[in-house]
Amino acid sequence: MMGAIGKISNTDYLDFKRVFNRKTEKFMTLLDKKLQPILSFKNMAWRTANVTSKSPATFSAFYFYDDDKNIHINKYPNINFNFDEYGMNLSFNSEIKSSMKYMLKAMKKRSGEFDKRAVKIDGFDCLLFFKIQYQPMNNFVWDLVPGFPVPISIFKSRDIIRAIDLFEEQWANFKNTRLFQMKSGMIRHSSGRLYNEKEIAFAGAKNKKPIYAMRISKQYPAPQIAEKKKKISLFFKEEILKLKPIVELVVS
């Protein structure tokens, strides 16, 4: 089914996505039973993407909460699955300011322990993104900070913090480059259209400082996923176990 995402006709797309989401929900239910005892250091629930979304990709996530499970899914860094035509991506994911705050706090105040745990995560990369907001709410153009991704096996907290400092020194240049690319059509909206004058003006005025997102992630090609068949939830239980030491350090 992943191979069909992004290729199916618009007429059949939402019906297809409803079926895909039902399969995703079954996958998350099976995985949740395996993870609840393992990730019991904090309350955890899960969600899948809105079935009415027009995006050709979709996602599901395990998220952490205090007393109210209806908090924003990204308040804390979450364990996120992205599904697209190429396969699946698993990440320990910080997408907004509040979740980035927890990630950066752990890297700054417990850098030695963070690095010690990070280098043991086999096969994952650290990705640091910056975002340009072009409309209110969740409307961003994403791009990687130069130098990323970095293999987690050579991860150092001090290098991440330094990369952020250097990037912020050059923010005006990066921002102007992205605005030019949006104006010229070198970067387009996910629908394929050009960004309009109102969106460009909003982006120019809004983004006075960089907004970051960070993922410790790994990509799994669709054929690799397909061959796991009914063992897929057990496979990802083991993959998430690799992330557990970092997850526990950051969110507990």
Side-chain angles (χ1 to χ4, degrees):
M1 293 184 75
M2 286 181 210
I5 297 176
K7 301 175 184 176
I8 196 166
S9 70
N10 290 335
T11 305
D12 297 328
Y13 178 70
L14 285 181
D15 284 340
F16 168 87
K17 196 162 187 179
R18 289 187 186 96
V19 175
F20 192 92
N21 275 36
R22 285 199 295 271
K23 291 180 179 290
T24 305
E25 288 169 1
K26 181 178 179 181
F27 165 70
M28 294 295 285
T29 299
L30 291 169
L31 193 51
D32 183 55
K33 292 177 182 178
K34 295 176 172 63
L35 292 180
Q36 285 291 349
I38 295 168
L39 302 180
S40 59
F41 51 82
K42 196 167 189 67
N43 294 330
M44 185 184 75
W46 58 269
R47 288 183 199 166
T48 59
N50 188 342
V51 73
T52 61
S53 169
K54 295 181 180 179
S55 171
T58 189
F59 79 91
S60 61
F62 292 99
Y63 67 99
F64 300 94
Y65 63 94
D66 299 313
D67 296 322
D68 180 9
K69 69 166 56 177
N70 294 316
I71 66 165
H72 195 290
I73 191 172
N74 285 309
K75 177 184 177 181
Y76 293 100
N78 59 43
I79 296 171
N80 178 281
F81 290 101
N82 274 294
F83 307 85
D84 59 30
E85 65 267 38
Y86 307 110
M88 291 171 65
N89 179 277
L90 167 65
S91 66
F92 183 44
N93 176 60
S94 301
E95 283 199 14
I96 62 176
K97 289 180 180 178
S98 64
S99 55
M100 275 299 297
K101 178 184 71 175
Y102 288 102
M103 192 77 84
L104 292 173
K105 180 180 177 181
M107 286 195 289
K108 290 177 180 179
K109 294 192 174 182
R110 304 185 67 182
S111 58
E113 186 60 29
F114 195 104
D115 294 353
K116 180 181 176 181
R117 297 184 186 202
V119 297
K120 295 180 181 179
I121 304 175
D122 181 48
F124 285 74
D125 293 317
C126 175
L127 293 85
L128 182 65
F129 299 89
F130 70 96
K131 304 191 287 184
I132 297 281
Q133 188 172 15
Y134 61 88
Q135 282 185 10
M137 304 299 289
N138 188 29
N139 292 288
F140 295 95
V141 174
W142 287 49
D143 203 351
L144 284 164
V145 171
F148 289 86
V150 175
I152 206 70
S153 60
I154 60 171
F155 182 92
K156 291 288 184 293
S157 294
R158 66 173 182 267
D159 295 336
I160 305 299
I161 303 304
R162 180 59 178 155
I164 290 173
D165 291 341
L166 290 172
F167 185 75
E168 291 184 352
E169 290 175 9
Q170 297 293 319
W171 172 238
N173 294 333
F174 282 104
K175 175 183 170 180
N176 288 338
T177 297
R178 291 300 173 270
L179 291 175
F180 173 78
Q181 291 173 319
M182 292 166 72
K183 288 177 185 177
S184 65
M186 295 172 68
I187 295 177
R188 292 176 175 250
H189 189 272
S190 58
S191 67
R193 68 170 175 82
L194 294 173
Y195 292 96
N196 59 47
E197 291 183 8
K198 186 177 180 180
E199 290 168 334
I200 299 296
F202 182 96
K206 176 71 175 177
N207 300 279
K208 299 187 184 304
K209 295 181 179 180
I211 305 170
Y212 297 104
M214 182 175 169
R215 291 175 177 165
I216 298 173
S217 72
K218 185 175 180 179
Q219 185 74 23
Y220 306 84
Q224 180 186 7
I225 300 305
E227 70 182 15
K228 300 298 178 185
K229 297 183 179 178
K230 292 185 178 181
K231 295 181 179 179
I232 190 68
S233 62
L234 181 61
F235 171 76
F236 276 110
K237 171 195 167 185
E238 297 301 319
E239 292 296 281
I240 291 171
L241 270 174
K242 298 175 184 177
L243 293 170
K244 179 189 174 183
I246 285 288
V247 176
E248 187 170 14
L249 181 72
V250 173
V251 305
S252 62

